[in-house]
Amino acid sequence: MTRANLTVTSTGKASGTLSKPVAGKATLAWSGDQLYLKGDPAFWAQQDPHFGHDLTSAGHWVAPEKRSGYYMLNSFAVNAGSLTPASLAALVRQVTSDPEAVREDGTFKGRKAVSYSSQGWTVVLGAESPYPVLAIGGEPGRDSPVKSAVWQPARRTGPVMELAGYRPNAVPVTRDDFSSYLLLEPRPATTEQAAAVRATTASAVATAVPPATSAVAVSKTMGPAFTITPNHASSCTTNPCSYSYTVTNSGDQAGAATLYLSLPRVPEQPHPLGTLQPKQSKTVSGTRPNIAWGTGQTVNHTDYAWVYSAAEYGPDPKVGSRLHARNLRPGDLARAHPCSPLWQGCST
């Protein structure tokens, strides 16, 4: 879930902040149907180069592009410029005036509320006069007052979403492959906030750095990238078992790396590799207990190997560990090891 705090003017200019899951923040600007981002190192570390630029973009405005082969705005599902007061008002009227809308009484953040669900959107109003708009939930689309930012035409899929925070559950809606569910809690903006939006968007338009203009150029700005290769034999008939992993920087820039191994009966251990130059490799070897030794039965287990690098996870090493603990392991290597009682060992 990406969280945003945006101010949008009546002319469709927007600015504010984005907070990515786990780590990474960016200042956002939107002007003339163009997205601009100024992210911190942790934000850019999570982006593929073709979605913006490389890690050197931290602290600079970047203008992602729509380009054949890379649907750059698909990862930013809403056209922020369409979140104007007029568009939101039109959406509220469209939903609440639909004779087929489903009406439900409930609460929103402890406040009595009534919801109207229709055409893939849910509008939550205060239950008492002047019936303020408390929340709007739904999926941006080309045929809606709130537009999608995606470039590639989306396909309809099966998963359903609910309006978070509202009880009882809102009517489910289908979602697009390249879009996402949007939950808004609109509030009036001040004159000062609107003026700040105009200043921010003007700065972004004037100073933004374009991303690479071709897939070839993108590949030349990929930065460090790490691959893991297992070297040990496919079977283990001894106790302990030996292991060996080689980490190679397959990117085009140097980068510091730490190999993390999670093995049976061995706590997760970091193995600092130092800075690897492009195409340089380093190997980590050792032994671990053979968990099938002497059991007379088959034992199944999985070894995990993954690399932490600031280029991939940002400056905080704990981010990678938290992702790993949640079974979210980008770029890792997992090998299942069925263990044979015939050898009293493990066959990889």
Side-chain angles (χ1 to χ4, degrees), residues 164-208:
Y166 184 77
R167 297 292 183 272
N169 291 339
V171 173
V173 297
T174 56
R175 61 187 296 272
D176 290 337
D177 281 359
F178 298 102
S179 190
S180 59
Y181 194 79
L182 177 69
L183 175 60
L184 301 171
E185 295 183 39
R187 297 181 300 274
T190 65
T191 301
E192 291 77 12
Q193 288 174 317
V197 169
R198 290 189 286 271
T200 299
T201 54
S203 174
V205 171
T207 64

Short mmCIF file of all heavy atoms in Angstrom, two decimals, residues 164-208:
data_model
loop_
_atom_site.label_atom_id
_atom_site.label_comp_id
_atom_site.label_asym_id
_atom_site.label_seq_id
_atom_site.Cartn_x
_atom_site.Cartn_y
_atom_site.Cartn_z
N ALA A 164 -11.56 0.12 2.71
CA ALA A 164 -10.93 -0.04 4.02
C ALA A 164 -11.52 0.94 5.03
O ALA A 164 -11.79 2.10 4.72
CB ALA A 164 -9.43 0.18 3.90
N GLY A 165 -11.74 0.47 6.22
CA GLY A 165 -12.19 1.35 7.30
C GLY A 165 -13.68 1.50 7.39
O GLY A 165 -14.18 2.15 8.31
N TYR A 166 -14.45 0.98 6.45
CA TYR A 166 -15.89 1.15 6.48
C TYR A 166 -16.55 -0.16 6.87
O TYR A 166 -16.15 -1.22 6.42
CB TYR A 166 -16.42 1.60 5.11
CG TYR A 166 -17.91 1.86 5.14
CD1 TYR A 166 -18.40 3.03 5.71
CD2 TYR A 166 -18.81 0.93 4.65
CE1 TYR A 166 -19.76 3.26 5.76
CE2 TYR A 166 -20.16 1.16 4.70
CZ TYR A 166 -20.63 2.32 5.26
OH TYR A 166 -21.97 2.55 5.33
N ARG A 167 -17.52 -0.07 7.76
CA ARG A 167 -18.29 -1.23 8.17
C ARG A 167 -19.78 -0.90 7.99
O ARG A 167 -20.22 0.18 8.38
CB ARG A 167 -18.03 -1.56 9.65
CG ARG A 167 -16.58 -1.93 9.92
CD ARG A 167 -16.21 -3.26 9.26
NE ARG A 167 -14.86 -3.67 9.56
CZ ARG A 167 -13.81 -3.31 8.86
NH1 ARG A 167 -13.95 -2.53 7.80
NH2 ARG A 167 -12.60 -3.71 9.20
N PRO A 168 -20.57 -1.80 7.42
CA PRO A 168 -20.19 -3.12 6.91
C PRO A 168 -19.41 -3.02 5.61
O PRO A 168 -19.19 -1.95 5.10
CB PRO A 168 -21.55 -3.80 6.69
CG PRO A 168 -22.47 -2.67 6.40
CD PRO A 168 -22.00 -1.53 7.27
N ASN A 169 -19.03 -4.19 5.07
CA ASN A 169 -18.20 -4.20 3.87
C ASN A 169 -18.92 -3.52 2.71
O ASN A 169 -20.11 -3.66 2.53
CB ASN A 169 -17.86 -5.63 3.46
CG ASN A 169 -16.92 -6.29 4.44
OD1 ASN A 169 -16.22 -5.61 5.18
ND2 ASN A 169 -16.91 -7.60 4.46
N ALA A 170 -18.13 -2.78 1.92
CA ALA A 170 -18.69 -2.17 0.73
C ALA A 170 -18.89 -3.22 -0.36
O ALA A 170 -18.38 -4.33 -0.28
CB ALA A 170 -17.76 -1.08 0.22
N VAL A 171 -19.64 -2.85 -1.37
CA VAL A 171 -19.87 -3.76 -2.47
C VAL A 171 -18.55 -4.01 -3.19
O VAL A 171 -17.82 -3.08 -3.51
CB VAL A 171 -20.89 -3.16 -3.45
CG1 VAL A 171 -21.02 -4.02 -4.71
CG2 VAL A 171 -22.25 -3.04 -2.77
N PRO A 172 -18.18 -5.28 -3.45
CA PRO A 172 -16.91 -5.56 -4.12
C PRO A 172 -16.90 -4.99 -5.53
O PRO A 172 -17.93 -4.85 -6.19
CB PRO A 172 -16.85 -7.09 -4.15
CG PRO A 172 -17.82 -7.54 -3.10
CD PRO A 172 -18.90 -6.50 -3.08
N VAL A 173 -15.70 -4.68 -6.01
CA VAL A 173 -15.53 -4.23 -7.39
C VAL A 173 -14.39 -5.03 -8.03
O VAL A 173 -13.49 -5.48 -7.35
CB VAL A 173 -15.18 -2.72 -7.45
CG1 VAL A 173 -16.32 -1.90 -6.89
CG2 VAL A 173 -13.89 -2.42 -6.69
N THR A 174 -14.46 -5.20 -9.33
CA THR A 174 -13.36 -5.83 -10.04
C THR A 174 -12.26 -4.80 -10.23
O THR A 174 -12.47 -3.61 -10.12
CB THR A 174 -13.82 -6.37 -11.40
OG1 THR A 174 -14.39 -5.28 -12.14
CG2 THR A 174 -14.84 -7.47 -11.23
N ARG A 175 -11.04 -5.30 -10.57
CA ARG A 175 -9.93 -4.39 -10.73
C ARG A 175 -9.19 -4.69 -12.03
O ARG A 175 -9.29 -5.77 -12.58
CB ARG A 175 -8.96 -4.48 -9.55
CG ARG A 175 -8.33 -5.84 -9.35
CD ARG A 175 -7.53 -5.87 -8.06
NE ARG A 175 -6.43 -4.95 -8.12
CZ ARG A 175 -5.24 -5.27 -8.60
NH1 ARG A 175 -5.03 -6.48 -9.08
NH2 ARG A 175 -4.27 -4.39 -8.61
N ASP A 176 -8.42 -3.72 -12.52
CA ASP A 176 -7.68 -3.86 -13.76
C ASP A 176 -6.29 -4.41 -13.48
O ASP A 176 -5.72 -4.20 -12.42
CB ASP A 176 -7.54 -2.50 -14.44
CG ASP A 176 -8.87 -2.00 -15.00
OD1 ASP A 176 -9.76 -2.82 -15.26
OD2 ASP A 176 -8.99 -0.79 -15.17
N ASP A 177 -5.72 -5.08 -14.49
CA ASP A 177 -4.38 -5.63 -14.34
C ASP A 177 -3.36 -4.57 -13.96
O ASP A 177 -2.44 -4.81 -13.21
CB ASP A 177 -3.94 -6.28 -15.66
CG ASP A 177 -4.57 -7.66 -15.82
OD1 ASP A 177 -5.31 -8.08 -14.92
OD2 ASP A 177 -4.32 -8.29 -16.85
N PHE A 178 -3.48 -3.38 -14.56
CA PHE A 178 -2.47 -2.36 -14.38
C PHE A 178 -3.00 -1.17 -13.58
O PHE A 178 -2.51 -0.06 -13.69
CB PHE A 178 -1.96 -1.89 -15.74
CG PHE A 178 -1.31 -3.00 -16.51
CD1 PHE A 178 -1.98 -3.63 -17.53
CD2 PHE A 178 -0.04 -3.43 -16.18
CE1 PHE A 178 -1.39 -4.67 -18.23
CE2 PHE A 178 0.57 -4.46 -16.87
CZ PHE A 178 -0.11 -5.08 -17.90
N SER A 179 -3.99 -1.41 -12.76
CA SER A 179 -4.52 -0.34 -11.93
C SER A 179 -4.57 -0.84 -10.50
O SER A 179 -4.05 -1.89 -10.18
CB SER A 179 -5.91 0.08 -12.43
OG SER A 179 -6.33 1.25 -11.78
N SER A 180 -5.17 -0.06 -9.62
CA SER A 180 -5.24 -0.46 -8.22
C SER A 180 -6.41 0.24 -7.56
O SER A 180 -6.98 1.18 -8.10
CB SER A 180 -3.93 -0.11 -7.50
OG SER A 180 -3.69 1.28 -7.59
N TYR A 181 -6.74 -0.24 -6.38
CA TYR A 181 -7.84 0.35 -5.63
C TYR A 181 -7.37 1.63 -4.96
O TYR A 181 -6.30 1.67 -4.37
CB TYR A 181 -8.34 -0.64 -4.59
CG TYR A 181 -9.68 -0.26 -3.99
CD1 TYR A 181 -10.86 -0.53 -4.68
CD2 TYR A 181 -9.77 0.35 -2.75
CE1 TYR A 181 -12.09 -0.19 -4.14
CE2 TYR A 181 -11.00 0.69 -2.21
CZ TYR A 181 -12.15 0.41 -2.91
OH TYR A 181 -13.37 0.74 -2.38
N LEU A 182 -8.17 2.66 -5.08
CA LEU A 182 -7.82 3.98 -4.55
C LEU A 182 -8.80 4.35 -3.45
O LEU A 182 -10.01 4.27 -3.64
CB LEU A 182 -7.88 5.02 -5.68
CG LEU A 182 -7.63 6.47 -5.30
CD1 LEU A 182 -6.17 6.68 -4.92
CD2 LEU A 182 -8.01 7.38 -6.46
N LEU A 183 -8.29 4.75 -2.30
CA LEU A 183 -9.13 5.21 -1.20
C LEU A 183 -8.75 6.65 -0.88
O LEU A 183 -7.61 6.95 -0.53
CB LEU A 183 -8.94 4.34 0.04
CG LEU A 183 -9.68 4.81 1.30
CD1 LEU A 183 -11.19 4.86 1.05
CD2 LEU A 183 -9.38 3.89 2.48
N LEU A 184 -9.72 7.57 -1.02
CA LEU A 184 -9.50 8.99 -0.79
C LEU A 184 -10.25 9.46 0.43
O LEU A 184 -11.39 9.05 0.67
CB LEU A 184 -10.00 9.81 -1.99
CG LEU A 184 -9.40 9.53 -3.36
CD1 LEU A 184 -10.20 10.28 -4.42
CD2 LEU A 184 -7.96 9.95 -3.40
N GLU A 185 -9.63 10.33 1.18
CA GLU A 185 -10.31 11.05 2.26
C GLU A 185 -10.13 12.54 1.98
O GLU A 185 -9.18 13.17 2.45
CB GLU A 185 -9.73 10.66 3.62
CG GLU A 185 -9.97 9.20 3.98
CD GLU A 185 -9.45 8.86 5.37
OE1 GLU A 185 -9.61 9.71 6.28
OE2 GLU A 185 -8.87 7.77 5.54
N PRO A 186 -11.02 13.14 1.19
CA PRO A 186 -10.84 14.53 0.74
C PRO A 186 -11.10 15.53 1.86
O PRO A 186 -12.01 15.37 2.68
CB PRO A 186 -11.85 14.67 -0.39
CG PRO A 186 -12.92 13.67 -0.07
CD PRO A 186 -12.23 12.53 0.61
N ARG A 187 -10.28 16.58 1.85
CA ARG A 187 -10.45 17.70 2.79
C ARG A 187 -10.22 19.00 2.04
O ARG A 187 -9.40 19.05 1.11
CB ARG A 187 -9.45 17.60 3.95
CG ARG A 187 -9.62 16.37 4.83
CD ARG A 187 -8.60 16.36 5.96
NE ARG A 187 -7.23 16.35 5.45
CZ ARG A 187 -6.57 15.24 5.13
NH1 ARG A 187 -7.19 14.06 5.21
NH2 ARG A 187 -5.34 15.30 4.69
N PRO A 188 -10.88 20.10 2.42
CA PRO A 188 -10.66 21.38 1.74
C PRO A 188 -9.22 21.84 1.92
O PRO A 188 -8.61 21.65 2.97
CB PRO A 188 -11.63 22.33 2.44
CG PRO A 188 -12.66 21.44 3.06
CD PRO A 188 -11.94 20.19 3.44
N ALA A 189 -8.66 22.44 0.87
CA ALA A 189 -7.31 22.99 0.92
C ALA A 189 -7.36 24.49 1.16
O ALA A 189 -8.33 25.17 0.81
CB ALA A 189 -6.58 22.69 -0.38
N THR A 190 -6.30 25.01 1.75
CA THR A 190 -6.21 26.44 2.00
C THR A 190 -5.61 27.15 0.78
O THR A 190 -5.03 26.52 -0.12
CB THR A 190 -5.32 26.72 3.21
OG1 THR A 190 -3.97 26.31 2.92
CG2 THR A 190 -5.83 25.96 4.43
N THR A 191 -5.73 28.46 0.78
CA THR A 191 -5.13 29.27 -0.29
C THR A 191 -3.62 29.08 -0.33
O THR A 191 -3.00 29.01 -1.39
CB THR A 191 -5.47 30.75 -0.09
OG1 THR A 191 -6.90 30.90 -0.09
CG2 THR A 191 -4.88 31.61 -1.21
N GLU A 192 -3.01 28.99 0.86
CA GLU A 192 -1.56 28.80 0.94
C GLU A 192 -1.14 27.45 0.35
O GLU A 192 -0.12 27.34 -0.34
CB GLU A 192 -1.09 28.90 2.39
CG GLU A 192 -1.19 30.30 2.99
CD GLU A 192 -2.62 30.68 3.37
OE1 GLU A 192 -3.51 29.77 3.39
OE2 GLU A 192 -2.86 31.86 3.63
N GLN A 193 -1.92 26.41 0.61
CA GLN A 193 -1.60 25.09 0.06
C GLN A 193 -1.70 25.09 -1.46
O GLN A 193 -0.86 24.50 -2.14
CB GLN A 193 -2.54 24.03 0.66
CG GLN A 193 -2.24 23.70 2.11
CD GLN A 193 -3.28 22.76 2.71
OE1 GLN A 193 -4.48 22.94 2.49
NE2 GLN A 193 -2.82 21.77 3.45
N ALA A 194 -2.72 25.76 -2.00
CA ALA A 194 -2.86 25.84 -3.45
C ALA A 194 -1.70 26.60 -4.07
O ALA A 194 -1.19 26.22 -5.14
CB ALA A 194 -4.19 26.50 -3.81
N ALA A 195 -1.25 27.66 -3.42
CA ALA A 195 -0.12 28.43 -3.94
C ALA A 195 1.16 27.59 -3.92
O ALA A 195 1.98 27.65 -4.85
CB ALA A 195 0.08 29.70 -3.11
N ALA A 196 1.32 26.76 -2.88
CA ALA A 196 2.49 25.89 -2.80
C ALA A 196 2.48 24.86 -3.92
O ALA A 196 3.54 24.51 -4.46
CB ALA A 196 2.52 25.19 -1.44
N VAL A 197 1.31 24.37 -4.30
CA VAL A 197 1.21 23.43 -5.41
C VAL A 197 1.70 24.07 -6.70
O VAL A 197 2.48 23.47 -7.46
CB VAL A 197 -0.24 22.94 -5.58
CG1 VAL A 197 -0.40 22.18 -6.90
CG2 VAL A 197 -0.65 22.07 -4.41
N ARG A 198 1.27 25.28 -6.97
CA ARG A 198 1.67 25.96 -8.20
C ARG A 198 3.19 26.18 -8.23
O ARG A 198 3.83 26.01 -9.28
CB ARG A 198 0.92 27.28 -8.34
CG ARG A 198 -0.57 27.09 -8.64
CD ARG A 198 -1.24 28.40 -9.00
NE ARG A 198 -1.43 29.24 -7.81
CZ ARG A 198 -2.51 29.21 -7.03
NH1 ARG A 198 -3.48 28.35 -7.31
NH2 ARG A 198 -2.61 30.00 -5.99
N ALA A 199 3.78 26.52 -7.09
CA ALA A 199 5.22 26.74 -7.03
C ALA A 199 5.98 25.43 -7.23
O ALA A 199 6.99 25.37 -7.94
CB ALA A 199 5.60 27.38 -5.70
N THR A 200 5.50 24.37 -6.60
CA THR A 200 6.17 23.07 -6.71
C THR A 200 6.11 22.53 -8.12
O THR A 200 7.12 22.04 -8.66
CB THR A 200 5.55 22.06 -5.74
OG1 THR A 200 5.68 22.54 -4.40
CG2 THR A 200 6.22 20.70 -5.84
N THR A 201 4.95 22.58 -8.75
CA THR A 201 4.83 22.05 -10.10
C THR A 201 5.66 22.87 -11.09
O THR A 201 6.26 22.32 -12.01
CB THR A 201 3.36 22.02 -10.55
OG1 THR A 201 2.78 23.32 -10.40
CG2 THR A 201 2.58 21.02 -9.73
N ALA A 202 5.72 24.20 -10.89
CA ALA A 202 6.54 25.03 -11.77
C ALA A 202 8.01 24.64 -11.67
O ALA A 202 8.72 24.56 -12.68
CB ALA A 202 6.35 26.50 -11.44
N SER A 203 8.47 24.38 -10.45
CA SER A 203 9.86 23.96 -10.26
C SER A 203 10.12 22.61 -10.91
O SER A 203 11.16 22.40 -11.55
CB SER A 203 10.17 23.89 -8.76
OG SER A 203 11.46 23.36 -8.54
N ALA A 204 9.17 21.67 -10.76
CA ALA A 204 9.34 20.34 -11.34
C ALA A 204 9.41 20.42 -12.87
O ALA A 204 10.27 19.78 -13.49
CB ALA A 204 8.20 19.43 -10.91
N VAL A 205 8.52 21.19 -13.47
CA VAL A 205 8.49 21.31 -14.93
C VAL A 205 9.79 21.91 -15.44
O VAL A 205 10.33 21.50 -16.47
CB VAL A 205 7.28 22.16 -15.37
CG1 VAL A 205 7.37 22.47 -16.85
CG2 VAL A 205 5.97 21.43 -15.05
N ALA A 206 10.31 22.89 -14.71
CA ALA A 206 11.49 23.62 -15.17
C ALA A 206 12.79 22.83 -15.01
O ALA A 206 13.74 23.03 -15.78
CB ALA A 206 11.60 24.95 -14.43
N THR A 207 12.86 21.92 -14.03
CA THR A 207 14.15 21.30 -13.70
C THR A 207 14.18 19.78 -13.84
O THR A 207 15.22 19.17 -13.61
CB THR A 207 14.55 21.65 -12.25
OG1 THR A 207 13.59 21.10 -11.34
CG2 THR A 207 14.62 23.16 -12.06
N ALA A 208 13.09 19.15 -14.26
CA ALA A 208 13.03 17.69 -14.27
C ALA A 208 14.04 17.09 -15.24
O ALA A 208 14.29 17.62 -16.32
CB ALA A 208 11.62 17.22 -14.63
#
